[in-house]
Protein backbone atom coordinates (compact mmCIF):
# COMPACT_ATOMS: atom_id res chain seq x y z
CA UNK A 1 0.00 0.00 0.00
CA UNK A 2 0.98 3.64 -0.31
CA UNK A 3 1.82 5.62 2.83
CA UNK A 4 3.08 9.16 3.35
CA UNK A 5 5.80 8.91 5.97
CA UNK A 6 7.69 11.28 8.21
CA UNK A 7 11.25 10.11 8.96
CA UNK A 8 12.83 13.19 10.54
CA UNK A 9 10.67 15.78 12.30
CA UNK A 10 11.51 19.51 12.13
CA UNK A 11 12.87 22.14 12.01
CA UNK A 12 10.05 24.17 10.51
CA UNK A 13 9.60 23.69 6.79
CA UNK A 14 12.24 21.01 6.25
CA UNK A 15 10.26 17.85 6.84
CA UNK A 16 8.26 16.94 3.74
CA UNK A 17 6.61 13.54 3.82
CA UNK A 18 7.90 10.75 1.60
CA UNK A 19 5.54 8.61 -0.44
CA UNK A 20 6.54 5.01 0.29
CA UNK A 21 5.31 1.54 -0.64
CA UNK A 22 4.89 -0.42 2.60
CA UNK A 23 3.25 -3.71 3.52
CA UNK A 24 -0.44 -3.73 4.45
CA UNK A 25 -1.15 -3.60 8.20
CA UNK A 26 -2.64 -6.57 10.02
CA UNK A 27 -4.92 -6.28 13.04
CA UNK A 28 -4.07 -7.14 16.65
CA UNK A 29 -6.82 -8.69 18.77
CA UNK A 30 -8.97 -5.59 19.31
CA UNK A 31 -8.07 -3.82 16.12
CA UNK A 32 -9.75 -3.11 12.80
CA UNK A 33 -8.01 -2.76 9.47
CA UNK A 34 -9.57 0.09 7.54
CA UNK A 35 -9.38 0.92 3.90
CA UNK A 36 -8.88 4.68 4.21
CA UNK A 37 -11.29 6.68 2.07
CA UNK A 38 -10.51 10.17 3.32
CA UNK A 39 -8.27 11.77 5.92
CA UNK A 40 -8.30 15.44 6.88
CA UNK A 41 -5.15 17.48 7.38
CA UNK A 42 -4.89 19.16 10.77
CA UNK A 43 -2.71 21.95 12.13
CA UNK A 44 -1.43 19.36 14.64
CA UNK A 45 0.08 17.40 11.75
CA UNK A 46 2.26 20.43 11.03
CA UNK A 47 3.30 20.64 14.68
CA UNK A 48 4.37 16.97 14.53
CA UNK A 49 6.19 17.35 11.20
CA UNK A 50 7.95 20.50 12.41
CA UNK A 51 9.17 18.79 15.58
CA UNK A 52 7.16 21.08 17.85
CA UNK A 53 5.53 18.01 19.43
CA UNK A 54 8.30 15.79 20.75
CA UNK A 55 8.62 12.02 20.64
CA UNK A 56 6.54 10.94 17.65
CA UNK A 57 6.76 7.38 16.40
CA UNK A 58 9.30 7.29 13.53
CA UNK A 59 8.86 6.63 10.77
CA UNK A 60 5.34 7.93 11.20
CA UNK A 61 2.26 7.98 9.01
CA UNK A 62 0.45 11.20 10.11
CA UNK A 63 -3.29 11.84 9.98
CA UNK A 64 -5.90 11.60 12.74
CA UNK A 65 -9.21 12.48 11.09
CA UNK A 66 -9.79 9.26 9.19
CA UNK A 67 -12.90 7.89 7.53
CA UNK A 68 -12.52 4.34 6.24
CA UNK A 69 -14.22 1.03 5.61
CA UNK A 70 -13.58 -2.04 7.78
CA UNK A 71 -11.79 -4.68 5.69
CA UNK A 72 -10.44 -6.98 8.40
CA UNK A 73 -10.93 -7.52 12.14
CA UNK A 74 -8.86 -8.90 14.99
CA UNK A 75 -10.28 -11.91 16.84
CA UNK A 76 -11.66 -9.81 19.70
CA UNK A 77 -13.06 -7.02 17.54
CA UNK A 78 -16.86 -7.46 17.72
CA UNK A 79 -18.04 -3.86 17.64
CA UNK A 80 -18.10 -3.34 13.87
CA UNK A 81 -18.73 -5.53 10.82
CA UNK A 82 -16.69 -5.88 7.65
CA UNK A 83 -17.83 -3.11 5.29
CA UNK A 84 -18.89 -0.69 8.07
CA UNK A 85 -17.87 2.92 7.68
CA UNK A 86 -16.01 4.18 10.76
CA UNK A 87 -14.10 7.26 11.86
CA UNK A 88 -10.78 7.31 13.69
CA UNK A 89 -9.93 10.32 15.89
CA UNK A 90 -6.76 11.61 17.58
CA UNK A 91 -7.32 9.61 20.80
CA UNK A 92 -6.22 6.12 19.70
CA UNK A 93 -5.87 4.22 22.96
CA UNK A 94 -6.00 4.76 26.74
CA UNK A 95 -4.92 2.51 29.60
CA UNK A 96 -8.25 2.38 31.45
CA UNK A 97 -6.34 2.06 34.74
CA UNK A 98 -4.75 5.38 35.66
CA UNK A 99 -6.54 7.89 37.88
CA UNK A 100 -7.48 10.04 34.87
CA UNK A 101 -9.07 7.11 33.04
CA UNK A 102 -10.90 5.97 36.16
CA UNK A 103 -12.34 9.45 36.78
CA UNK A 104 -13.73 10.00 33.30
CA UNK A 105 -10.83 12.14 32.10
CA UNK A 106 -9.28 9.72 29.65
CA UNK A 107 -8.19 12.67 27.51
CA UNK A 108 -5.48 13.14 30.16
CA UNK A 109 -4.48 9.44 30.43
CA UNK A 110 -0.82 9.06 31.42
CA UNK A 111 -0.25 6.36 28.81
CA UNK A 112 -2.58 7.54 26.04
CA UNK A 113 -1.61 6.84 22.44
CA UNK A 114 -2.50 9.22 19.67
CA UNK A 115 -3.36 8.51 16.06
CA UNK A 116 -0.90 10.03 13.61
CA UNK A 117 1.55 10.85 16.43
CA UNK A 118 2.45 7.84 18.56
CA UNK A 119 0.41 5.48 16.34
CA UNK A 120 0.40 5.39 12.55
CA UNK A 121 -2.46 7.39 11.07
CA UNK A 122 -4.44 7.88 7.91
CA UNK A 123 -2.16 9.38 5.24
CA UNK A 124 -2.17 5.92 3.63
CA UNK A 125 -4.32 3.42 1.74
CA UNK A 126 -4.89 1.33 4.89
CA UNK A 127 -4.60 1.85 8.61
CA UNK A 128 -5.33 -0.05 11.83
CA UNK A 129 -7.28 1.29 14.79
CA UNK A 130 -8.47 -0.01 18.17
CA UNK A 131 -12.18 -0.74 17.74
CA UNK A 132 -13.07 0.90 21.08
CA UNK A 133 -11.79 4.28 19.90
CA UNK A 134 -13.55 4.33 16.52
CA UNK A 135 -16.85 6.10 15.94
CA UNK A 136 -19.70 5.19 13.60
CA UNK A 137 -20.11 8.06 11.10
CA UNK A 138 -23.66 9.49 10.79
CA UNK A 139 -25.22 8.69 7.39
CA UNK A 140 -25.90 12.39 6.90
CA UNK A 141 -22.24 13.00 5.99
CA UNK A 142 -20.21 12.13 2.92
CA UNK A 143 -16.76 10.64 3.51
CA UNK A 144 -14.69 13.77 2.95
CA UNK A 145 -17.24 16.00 4.71
CA UNK A 146 -17.15 13.78 7.80
CA UNK A 147 -13.38 13.88 8.32
CA UNK A 148 -13.06 17.36 9.89
CA UNK A 149 -15.64 16.39 12.50
CA UNK A 150 -13.13 13.91 13.94
CA UNK A 151 -10.70 16.51 15.25
CA UNK A 152 -11.68 20.04 14.31
CA UNK A 153 -15.25 19.15 15.32
CA UNK A 154 -14.46 17.24 18.49
CA UNK A 155 -11.79 19.61 19.81
CA UNK A 156 -13.90 22.57 18.79
CA UNK A 157 -16.89 21.14 20.62
CA UNK A 158 -14.84 20.42 23.75
CA UNK A 159 -13.45 23.97 23.61
CA UNK A 160 -16.94 25.45 23.31
CA UNK A 161 -18.16 23.43 26.31
CA UNK A 162 -15.14 24.67 28.31
CA UNK A 163 -16.00 28.24 27.33
CA UNK A 164 -19.16 27.98 29.44
CA UNK A 165 -22.68 29.22 28.76
CA UNK A 166 -21.94 32.86 27.91
CA UNK A 167 -23.64 34.50 24.96
CA UNK A 168 -20.82 36.39 23.26
CA UNK A 169 -18.02 34.07 22.15
CA UNK A 170 -14.82 35.26 20.46
CA UNK A 171 -12.92 32.87 18.19
CA UNK A 172 -9.28 33.61 17.31
CA UNK A 173 -8.14 31.80 14.16
CA UNK A 174 -10.97 31.04 11.78
CA UNK A 175 -9.92 27.68 10.34
CA UNK A 176 -11.33 24.17 10.41
CA UNK A 177 -12.30 24.04 14.10
CA UNK A 178 -13.77 27.54 14.11
CA UNK A 179 -15.96 26.94 11.10
CA UNK A 180 -17.60 24.05 12.94
CA UNK A 181 -17.80 25.72 16.36
CA UNK A 182 -19.47 28.76 14.82
CA UNK A 183 -22.35 26.61 13.59
CA UNK A 184 -22.81 24.89 16.96
CA UNK A 185 -22.71 28.22 18.81
CA UNK A 186 -25.22 29.78 16.47
CA UNK A 187 -27.54 26.80 16.96
CA UNK A 188 -27.28 27.54 20.69
CA UNK A 189 -28.35 31.15 20.05
CA UNK A 190 -24.95 32.59 20.85
CA UNK A 191 -23.09 35.37 19.08
CA UNK A 192 -19.76 34.66 17.39
CA UNK A 193 -17.05 37.30 17.08
CA UNK A 194 -14.42 36.08 14.60
CA UNK A 195 -10.79 37.21 14.78
CA UNK A 196 -8.66 36.43 11.72
CA UNK A 197 -5.16 37.24 10.52
CA UNK A 198 -5.07 41.04 10.21
CA UNK A 199 -6.02 41.97 6.64
CA UNK A 200 -7.39 38.53 5.72
CA UNK A 201 -10.62 39.77 4.14
CA UNK A 202 -11.36 36.32 2.68
CA UNK A 203 -11.39 34.73 6.17
CA UNK A 204 -13.55 37.59 7.50
CA UNK A 205 -16.05 37.01 4.71
CA UNK A 206 -16.06 33.25 5.40
CA UNK A 207 -16.75 33.89 9.10
CA UNK A 208 -19.63 36.25 8.34
CA UNK A 209 -21.13 33.73 5.92
CA UNK A 210 -21.09 31.20 8.75
CA UNK A 211 -23.12 33.54 10.91
CA UNK A 212 -20.52 35.50 12.88
CA UNK A 213 -22.02 38.80 14.03
CA UNK A 214 -18.65 40.52 13.65
CA UNK A 215 -15.34 39.69 12.00
CA UNK A 216 -12.07 41.59 12.24
CA UNK A 217 -8.34 41.29 12.67
CA UNK A 218 -6.89 39.59 15.75
CA UNK A 219 -5.28 42.93 16.63
CA UNK A 220 -8.69 44.62 16.90
CA UNK A 221 -11.05 44.94 19.85
CA UNK A 222 -14.56 43.55 19.28
CA UNK A 223 -17.53 45.98 19.35
CA UNK A 224 -18.90 44.32 22.52
CA UNK A 225 -17.28 42.80 25.60
CA UNK A 226 -17.03 39.01 25.23
CA UNK A 227 -18.15 36.38 27.75
CA UNK A 228 -15.50 33.92 26.55
CA UNK A 229 -12.89 33.51 23.86
CA UNK A 230 -11.47 30.41 22.19
CA UNK A 231 -8.03 30.59 20.61
CA UNK A 232 -7.37 28.10 17.80
CA UNK A 233 -4.44 29.97 16.23
CA UNK A 234 -1.08 28.72 17.62
CA UNK A 235 -0.04 32.24 18.61
CA UNK A 236 0.68 32.86 22.31
CA UNK A 237 0.46 36.63 21.87
CA UNK A 238 -3.29 36.20 21.37
CA UNK A 239 -3.77 35.15 25.03
CA UNK A 240 -3.33 38.66 26.52
CA UNK A 241 -5.30 40.12 23.60
CA UNK A 242 -8.18 37.76 24.30
CA UNK A 243 -8.02 38.52 28.04
CA UNK A 244 -8.46 42.20 27.17
CA UNK A 245 -11.52 41.34 25.08
CA UNK A 246 -13.41 39.33 27.73
CA UNK A 247 -15.40 40.89 30.55
CA UNK A 248 -15.28 40.12 34.29
CA UNK A 249 -15.35 36.38 34.97
CA UNK A 250 -14.55 35.73 31.30
CA UNK A 251 -12.65 32.66 30.23
CA UNK A 252 -10.02 32.29 27.53
CA UNK A 253 -9.79 28.72 26.19
CA UNK A 254 -6.66 27.68 24.30
CA UNK A 255 -7.87 24.99 21.90
CA UNK A 256 -4.59 24.05 20.20
CA UNK A 257 -1.99 21.46 21.16
CA UNK A 258 0.92 23.84 20.64
CA UNK A 259 1.34 27.58 20.92
CA UNK A 260 4.24 30.00 20.67
CA UNK A 261 5.27 31.51 24.02
CA UNK A 262 2.73 33.69 25.78
CA UNK A 263 4.18 37.16 26.44
CA UNK A 264 4.01 38.50 29.97
CA UNK A 265 1.01 40.65 30.75
CA UNK A 266 -0.22 42.88 33.58
CA UNK A 267 -2.21 41.15 36.30
CA UNK A 268 -5.05 43.60 35.86
CA UNK A 269 -6.19 41.89 32.63
CA UNK A 270 -6.55 38.59 34.54
CA UNK A 271 -8.05 40.25 37.63
CA UNK A 272 -11.81 40.11 38.28
CA UNK A 273 -11.93 36.35 37.93
CA UNK A 274 -10.94 36.08 34.32
CA UNK A 275 -9.26 32.74 33.60
CA UNK A 276 -7.13 31.00 31.01
CA UNK A 277 -7.26 27.27 30.35
CA UNK A 278 -6.27 24.73 27.71
CA UNK A 279 -8.15 21.90 26.08
CA UNK A 280 -6.28 18.63 25.70
CA UNK A 281 -7.34 15.83 23.35
CA UNK A 282 -10.83 14.37 23.61
CA UNK A 283 -12.79 11.69 25.41
CA UNK A 284 -14.99 9.09 23.76
CA UNK A 285 -17.88 10.76 25.59
CA UNK A 286 -17.15 14.00 23.67
CA UNK A 287 -17.35 11.98 20.47
CA UNK A 288 -20.68 10.40 21.31
CA UNK A 289 -22.21 13.76 22.25
CA UNK A 290 -20.86 15.58 19.23
CA UNK A 291 -21.75 12.92 16.65
CA UNK A 292 -25.31 12.88 18.03
CA UNK A 293 -25.53 16.69 17.86
CA UNK A 294 -23.79 17.48 14.54
CA UNK A 295 -26.38 16.03 12.14
CA UNK A 296 -29.25 17.57 14.15
CA UNK A 297 -27.96 21.15 13.70
CA UNK A 298 -26.86 20.18 11.03
CA UNK A 299 -23.18 21.12 11.08
CA UNK A 300 -21.90 21.37 7.52
CA UNK A 301 -18.21 21.22 6.77
CA UNK A 302 -16.37 22.92 3.96
CA UNK A 303 -13.55 20.84 2.52
CA UNK A 304 -10.88 21.20 -0.13
CA UNK A 305 -9.81 17.79 -1.37
CA UNK A 306 -6.39 16.63 -2.57
CA UNK A 307 -5.20 13.26 -3.84
CA UNK A 308 -3.26 11.36 -1.15
CA UNK A 309 0.01 11.77 -3.08
CA UNK A 310 -0.34 15.57 -2.80
CA UNK A 311 -0.27 15.63 1.02
CA UNK A 312 2.78 17.90 1.06
CA UNK A 313 0.96 20.46 -1.07
CA UNK A 314 -2.09 20.34 1.23
CA UNK A 315 0.16 20.84 4.27
CA UNK A 316 1.96 23.77 2.61
CA UNK A 317 -1.35 25.48 1.85
CA UNK A 318 -2.57 24.94 5.41
CA UNK A 319 0.68 26.43 6.74
CA UNK A 320 0.28 29.57 4.66
CA UNK A 321 -3.39 30.03 5.61
CA UNK A 322 -4.69 29.25 2.13
CA UNK A 323 -7.22 26.60 3.15
CA UNK A 324 -10.84 27.63 3.73
CA UNK A 325 -12.51 25.10 6.03
CA UNK A 326 -10.50 21.86 6.04
CA UNK A 327 -8.05 20.19 3.65
CA UNK A 328 -8.86 16.52 3.05
CA UNK A 329 -6.76 13.80 1.39
CA UNK A 330 -8.56 11.22 -0.74
CA UNK A 331 -7.00 7.83 -1.42
CA UNK A 332 -8.84 7.49 -4.72
CA UNK A 333 -6.88 10.05 -6.74
CA UNK A 334 -9.55 10.23 -9.44
CA UNK A 335 -11.91 11.70 -6.85
CA UNK A 336 -9.48 14.54 -6.01
CA UNK A 337 -10.06 18.09 -7.08
ZN1 LIG B 1 -6.27 17.55 14.77
ZN1 LIG C 1 -5.12 5.99 31.60
Amino acid sequence: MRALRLSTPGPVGTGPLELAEVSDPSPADDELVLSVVACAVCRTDLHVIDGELTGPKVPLVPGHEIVGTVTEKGEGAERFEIGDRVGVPWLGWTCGECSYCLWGRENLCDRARFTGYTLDGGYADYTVADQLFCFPIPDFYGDAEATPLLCAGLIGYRSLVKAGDGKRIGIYGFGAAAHIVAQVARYQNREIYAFTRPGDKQAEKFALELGAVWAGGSNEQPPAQLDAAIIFAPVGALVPQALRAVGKGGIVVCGGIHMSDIPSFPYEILWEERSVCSVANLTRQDGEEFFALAPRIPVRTEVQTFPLAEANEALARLRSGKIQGAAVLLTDATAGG
Side-chain angles (χ1 to χ4, degrees):
M1 69 163 191
R2 297 171 301 162
L4 270 297
R5 292 200 304 183
L6 173 71
S7 308
T8 319
V12 173
T14 59
L17 305 176
E18 294 153 23
L19 186 61
E21 280 293 328
V22 299
S23 49
D24 290 1
S26 51
D29 199 33
D30 290 323
E31 287 180 336
L32 309 171
V33 176
L34 305 176
S35 169
V36 177
V37 180
C39 182
V41 174
C42 177
R43 179 81 221 180
T44 296
D45 302 340
L46 285 175
H47 294 313
V48 173
I49 291 164
D50 293 345
E52 289 165 334
L53 297 186
T54 54
K57 172 188 177 296
V58 274
L60 172 73
V61 181
H64 57 268
E65 305 180 83
I66 308 166
V67 170
T69 309
V70 179
T71 57
E72 207 181 327
K73 306 197 293 179
E75 281 183 17
E78 303 291 336
R79 221 181 133 215
F80 295 97
E81 299 302 328
I82 302 290
D84 281 358
R85 184 172 75 148
V86 301
V88 185
W90 169 249
L91 187 71
W93 183 85
T94 56
C95 76
E97 297 169 348
C98 71
S99 59
Y100 299 104
C101 283
L102 293 174
W103 297 340
R105 300 163 77 196
E106 65 179 356
N107 59 310
L108 303 177
C109 172
D110 285 330
R111 290 158 59 203
R113 294 178 197 155
F114 301 105
T115 312
Y117 179 32
T118 53
L119 298 166
D120 278 332
Y123 288 19
D125 287 315
Y126 291 89
T127 193
V128 287
D130 188 307
Q131 60 160 358
L132 295 178
F133 293 84
C134 295
F135 297 110
I137 299 292
D139 292 338
F140 179 81
Y141 293 102
D143 298 319
E145 288 71 29
T147 56
L149 301 174
L150 286 154
C151 180
L154 288 172
I155 300 293
Y157 174 73
R158 190 173 174 88
S159 301
L160 185 61
V161 171
K162 275 257 191 212
D165 297 326
K167 177 148 180 94
R168 291 194 289 264
I169 309 291
I171 300 183
Y172 289 77
F174 215 85
H179 97 290
I180 294 172
V181 169
Q183 296 173 64
V184 178
R186 229 183 90 173
Y187 174 77
Q188 297 169 335
N189 289 315
R190 309 208 225 186
E191 293 175 0
I192 288 290
Y193 296 76
F195 298 82
T196 64
R197 293 182 201 215
D200 190 345
K201 294 295 165 195
Q202 183 85 17
E204 287 182 21
K205 184 166 165 275
F206 183 50
L208 293 170
E209 280 166 9
L210 285 168
V213 296
W214 175 88
S218 56
N219 54 344
E220 294 177 42
Q221 279 293 312
Q225 205 165 50
L226 305 176
D227 297 312
I230 304 171
I231 303 177
F232 291 119
V235 181
L238 294 173
V239 172
Q241 290 193 35
L243 278 170
R244 288 193 163 94
V246 299
K248 295 178 198 176
I251 182 165
V252 173
V253 180
C254 302
I257 194 168
H258 174 83
M259 217 181 219
S260 54
D261 286 356
I262 301 170
S264 71
F265 53 83
Y267 179 61
E268 63 173 330
I269 66 173
L270 184 64
W271 168 241
E272 294 168 327
E273 302 198 345
R274 291 173 183 86
S275 57
V276 177
C277 72
S278 65
V279 160
N281 315 316
L282 66 134
T283 64
R284 284 171 281 179
Q285 172 88 28
D286 295 331
E288 277 154 32
E289 287 175 23
F290 180 66
F291 279 109
L293 180 64
R296 285 213 313 268
I297 293 176
V299 169
R300 294 186 189 277
T301 60
E302 179 154 341
V303 298
Q304 290 180 38
T305 60
F306 298 80
L308 175 66
E310 290 175 20
N312 285 317
E313 172 64 19
L315 287 160
R317 288 204 211 170
L318 177 63
R319 187 190 295 283
S320 57
K322 290 192 189 118
I323 300 288
Q324 184 162 299
V328 177
L329 305 177
L330 299 176
T331 49
D332 177 1
T334 58

mmCIF file of all heavy atoms in Angstrom, residues 235-261:
data_model
loop_
_atom_site.group_PDB
_atom_site.id
_atom_site.type_symbol
_atom_site.label_atom_id
_atom_site.label_comp_id
_atom_site.label_asym_id
_atom_site.label_seq_id
_atom_site.Cartn_x
_atom_site.Cartn_y
_atom_site.Cartn_z
ATOM 1 N N VAL A 235 -0.775 30.984 18.399
ATOM 2 C CA VAL A 235 -0.045 32.235 18.614
ATOM 3 C C VAL A 235 -0.245 32.697 20.055
ATOM 4 O O VAL A 235 -1.319 33.190 20.420
ATOM 5 C CB VAL A 235 -0.557 33.315 17.633
ATOM 6 C CG1 VAL A 235 0.199 34.620 17.823
ATOM 7 C CG2 VAL A 235 -0.447 32.828 16.184
ATOM 8 N N GLY A 236 0.793 32.531 20.886
ATOM 9 C CA GLY A 236 0.679 32.857 22.307
ATOM 10 C C GLY A 236 0.324 34.312 22.569
ATOM 11 O O GLY A 236 -0.319 34.635 23.569
ATOM 12 N N ALA A 237 0.734 35.201 21.672
ATOM 13 C CA ALA A 237 0.456 36.633 21.873
ATOM 14 C C ALA A 237 -1.038 36.934 21.868
ATOM 15 O O ALA A 237 -1.466 38.002 22.317
ATOM 16 C CB ALA A 237 1.149 37.454 20.781
ATOM 17 N N LEU A 238 -1.840 35.978 21.374
ATOM 18 C CA LEU A 238 -3.288 36.203 21.372
ATOM 19 C C LEU A 238 -3.899 36.045 22.765
ATOM 20 O O LEU A 238 -5.008 36.526 23.006
ATOM 21 C CB LEU A 238 -3.974 35.235 20.402
ATOM 22 C CG LEU A 238 -3.641 35.451 18.919
ATOM 23 C CD1 LEU A 238 -4.235 34.330 18.074
ATOM 24 C CD2 LEU A 238 -4.159 36.810 18.440
ATOM 25 N N VAL A 239 -3.189 35.386 23.697
ATOM 26 C CA VAL A 239 -3.767 35.154 25.033
ATOM 27 C C VAL A 239 -4.023 36.478 25.752
ATOM 28 O O VAL A 239 -5.160 36.738 26.186
ATOM 29 C CB VAL A 239 -2.904 34.177 25.859
ATOM 30 C CG1 VAL A 239 -3.397 34.098 27.293
ATOM 31 C CG2 VAL A 239 -2.904 32.794 25.212
ATOM 32 N N PRO A 240 -3.004 37.363 25.887
ATOM 33 C CA PRO A 240 -3.328 38.659 26.517
ATOM 34 C C PRO A 240 -4.344 39.476 25.715
ATOM 35 O O PRO A 240 -5.183 40.171 26.309
ATOM 36 C CB PRO A 240 -1.977 39.381 26.600
ATOM 37 C CG PRO A 240 -0.971 38.524 25.930
ATOM 38 C CD PRO A 240 -1.566 37.178 25.679
ATOM 39 N N GLN A 241 -4.303 39.370 24.391
ATOM 40 C CA GLN A 241 -5.298 40.116 23.601
ATOM 41 C C GLN A 241 -6.708 39.626 23.904
ATOM 42 O O GLN A 241 -7.643 40.428 24.026
ATOM 43 C CB GLN A 241 -5.023 39.951 22.106
ATOM 44 C CG GLN A 241 -3.760 40.681 21.677
ATOM 45 C CD GLN A 241 -3.666 40.785 20.169
ATOM 46 O OE1 GLN A 241 -4.663 40.938 19.490
ATOM 47 N NE2 GLN A 241 -2.464 40.715 19.646
ATOM 48 N N ALA A 242 -6.857 38.321 24.004
ATOM 49 C CA ALA A 242 -8.180 37.764 24.297
ATOM 50 C C ALA A 242 -8.615 38.125 25.720
ATOM 51 O O ALA A 242 -9.794 38.402 25.965
ATOM 52 C CB ALA A 242 -8.172 36.254 24.101
ATOM 53 N N LEU A 243 -7.666 38.129 26.665
ATOM 54 C CA LEU A 243 -8.017 38.523 28.042
ATOM 55 C C LEU A 243 -8.538 39.956 28.081
ATOM 56 O O LEU A 243 -9.436 40.280 28.862
ATOM 57 C CB LEU A 243 -6.796 38.388 28.961
ATOM 58 C CG LEU A 243 -6.515 36.981 29.491
ATOM 59 C CD1 LEU A 243 -5.156 36.934 30.172
ATOM 60 C CD2 LEU A 243 -7.612 36.534 30.467
ATOM 61 N N ARG A 244 -7.998 40.804 27.221
ATOM 62 C CA ARG A 244 -8.460 42.200 27.170
ATOM 63 C C ARG A 244 -9.853 42.305 26.554
ATOM 64 O O ARG A 244 -10.552 43.288 26.751
ATOM 65 C CB ARG A 244 -7.475 43.060 26.362
ATOM 66 C CG ARG A 244 -6.181 43.316 27.096
ATOM 67 C CD ARG A 244 -5.342 44.428 26.432
ATOM 68 N NE ARG A 244 -4.335 44.918 27.368
ATOM 69 C CZ ARG A 244 -3.085 44.462 27.432
ATOM 70 N NH1 ARG A 244 -2.677 43.531 26.592
ATOM 71 N NH2 ARG A 244 -2.238 44.936 28.329
ATOM 72 N N ALA A 245 -10.229 41.283 25.768
ATOM 73 C CA ALA A 245 -11.524 41.344 25.077
ATOM 74 C C ALA A 245 -12.662 40.754 25.902
ATOM 75 O O ALA A 245 -13.826 40.994 25.612
ATOM 76 C CB ALA A 245 -11.432 40.616 23.731
ATOM 77 N N VAL A 246 -12.338 39.942 26.929
ATOM 78 C CA VAL A 246 -13.410 39.333 27.733
ATOM 79 C C VAL A 246 -13.714 40.191 28.964
ATOM 80 O O VAL A 246 -12.836 40.866 29.495
ATOM 81 C CB VAL A 246 -13.094 37.872 28.169
ATOM 82 C CG1 VAL A 246 -12.908 36.970 26.964
ATOM 83 C CG2 VAL A 246 -11.892 37.803 29.100
ATOM 84 N N GLY A 247 -14.973 40.133 29.376
ATOM 85 C CA GLY A 247 -15.404 40.888 30.547
ATOM 86 C C GLY A 247 -15.059 40.175 31.854
ATOM 87 O O GLY A 247 -14.399 39.137 31.852
ATOM 88 N N LYS A 248 -15.520 40.712 32.970
ATOM 89 C CA LYS A 248 -15.279 40.118 34.289
ATOM 90 C C LYS A 248 -15.760 38.669 34.299
ATOM 91 O O LYS A 248 -16.835 38.370 33.777
ATOM 92 C CB LYS A 248 -16.045 40.887 35.367
ATOM 93 C CG LYS A 248 -15.589 42.308 35.556
ATOM 94 C CD LYS A 248 -16.464 42.965 36.613
ATOM 95 C CE LYS A 248 -16.350 44.470 36.531
ATOM 96 N NZ LYS A 248 -17.254 45.133 37.490
ATOM 97 N N GLY A 249 -14.968 37.795 34.905
ATOM 98 C CA GLY A 249 -15.349 36.376 34.969
ATOM 99 C C GLY A 249 -15.201 35.658 33.641
ATOM 100 O O GLY A 249 -15.550 34.486 33.530
ATOM 101 N N GLY A 250 -14.677 36.345 32.636
ATOM 102 C CA GLY A 250 -14.554 35.732 31.305
ATOM 103 C C GLY A 250 -13.469 34.675 31.268
ATOM 104 O O GLY A 250 -12.521 34.694 32.051
ATOM 105 N N ILE A 251 -13.618 33.745 30.334
ATOM 106 C CA ILE A 251 -12.654 32.660 30.226
ATOM 107 C C ILE A 251 -12.032 32.666 28.833
ATOM 108 O O ILE A 251 -12.722 32.923 27.838
ATOM 109 C CB ILE A 251 -13.313 31.300 30.548
ATOM 110 C CG1 ILE A 251 -12.303 30.158 30.497
ATOM 111 C CG2 ILE A 251 -14.486 30.996 29.628
ATOM 112 C CD1 ILE A 251 -12.801 28.878 31.144
ATOM 113 N N VAL A 252 -10.735 32.401 28.795
ATOM 114 C CA VAL A 252 -10.016 32.287 27.525
ATOM 115 C C VAL A 252 -9.561 30.834 27.394
ATOM 116 O O VAL A 252 -8.815 30.332 28.229
ATOM 117 C CB VAL A 252 -8.809 33.246 27.477
ATOM 118 C CG1 VAL A 252 -7.972 33.002 26.226
ATOM 119 C CG2 VAL A 252 -9.276 34.699 27.540
ATOM 120 N N VAL A 253 -10.079 30.147 26.384
ATOM 121 C CA VAL A 253 -9.793 28.724 26.190
ATOM 122 C C VAL A 253 -8.782 28.580 25.056
ATOM 123 O O VAL A 253 -9.018 29.050 23.944
ATOM 124 C CB VAL A 253 -11.084 27.962 25.805
ATOM 125 C CG1 VAL A 253 -10.787 26.479 25.592
ATOM 126 C CG2 VAL A 253 -12.161 28.153 26.861
ATOM 127 N N CYS A 254 -7.661 27.933 25.341
ATOM 128 C CA CYS A 254 -6.658 27.680 24.302
ATOM 129 C C CYS A 254 -6.934 26.288 23.733
ATOM 130 O O CYS A 254 -6.775 25.288 24.424
ATOM 131 C CB CYS A 254 -5.249 27.756 24.878
ATOM 132 S SG CYS A 254 -4.905 29.359 25.634
ATOM 133 N N GLY A 255 -7.383 26.239 22.472
ATOM 134 C CA GLY A 255 -7.867 24.988 21.898
ATOM 135 C C GLY A 255 -6.834 24.208 21.114
ATOM 136 O O GLY A 255 -7.136 23.129 20.616
ATOM 137 N N GLY A 256 -5.617 24.737 20.998
ATOM 138 C CA GLY A 256 -4.595 24.052 20.198
ATOM 139 C C GLY A 256 -3.648 23.236 21.049
ATOM 140 O O GLY A 256 -3.556 23.435 22.257
ATOM 141 N N ILE A 257 -2.911 22.330 20.425
ATOM 142 C CA ILE A 257 -1.993 21.462 21.160
ATOM 143 C C ILE A 257 -0.637 22.123 21.345
ATOM 144 O O ILE A 257 0.159 21.724 22.186
ATOM 145 C CB ILE A 257 -1.848 20.114 20.418
ATOM 146 C CG1 ILE A 257 -1.194 19.051 21.299
ATOM 147 C CG2 ILE A 257 -1.093 20.281 19.106
ATOM 148 C CD1 ILE A 257 -1.297 17.646 20.741
ATOM 149 N N HIS A 258 -0.361 23.140 20.552
ATOM 150 C CA HIS A 258 0.924 23.837 20.644
ATOM 151 C C HIS A 258 0.692 25.317 20.399
ATOM 152 O O HIS A 258 -0.164 25.690 19.617
ATOM 153 C CB HIS A 258 1.900 23.287 19.602
ATOM 154 C CG HIS A 258 3.193 24.048 19.549
ATOM 155 N ND1 HIS A 258 4.231 23.796 20.413
ATOM 156 C CD2 HIS A 258 3.588 25.076 18.766
ATOM 157 C CE1 HIS A 258 5.225 24.633 20.149
ATOM 158 N NE2 HIS A 258 4.862 25.417 19.150
ATOM 159 N N MET A 259 1.458 26.139 21.089
ATOM 160 C CA MET A 259 1.338 27.578 20.924
ATOM 161 C C MET A 259 2.727 28.186 21.085
ATOM 162 O O MET A 259 3.532 27.662 21.865
ATOM 163 C CB MET A 259 0.447 28.110 22.056
ATOM 164 C CG MET A 259 -0.470 29.224 21.679
ATOM 165 S SD MET A 259 -1.420 29.768 23.090
ATOM 166 C CE MET A 259 -2.972 30.062 22.298
ATOM 167 N N SER A 260 3.000 29.281 20.391
ATOM 168 C CA SER A 260 4.237 29.999 20.669
ATOM 169 C C SER A 260 4.139 30.577 22.088
ATOM 170 O O SER A 260 3.056 30.601 22.684
ATOM 171 C CB SER A 260 4.451 31.101 19.629
ATOM 172 O OG SER A 260 3.315 31.934 19.566
ATOM 173 N N ASP A 261 5.269 31.039 22.629
ATOM 174 C CA ASP A 261 5.269 31.512 24.017
ATOM 175 C C ASP A 261 4.267 32.641 24.226
ATOM 176 O O ASP A 261 4.065 33.477 23.346
ATOM 177 C CB ASP A 261 6.662 32.016 24.402
ATOM 178 C CG ASP A 261 7.626 30.854 24.614
ATOM 179 O OD1 ASP A 261 7.186 29.686 24.527
ATOM 180 O OD2 ASP A 261 8.813 31.127 24.864
#
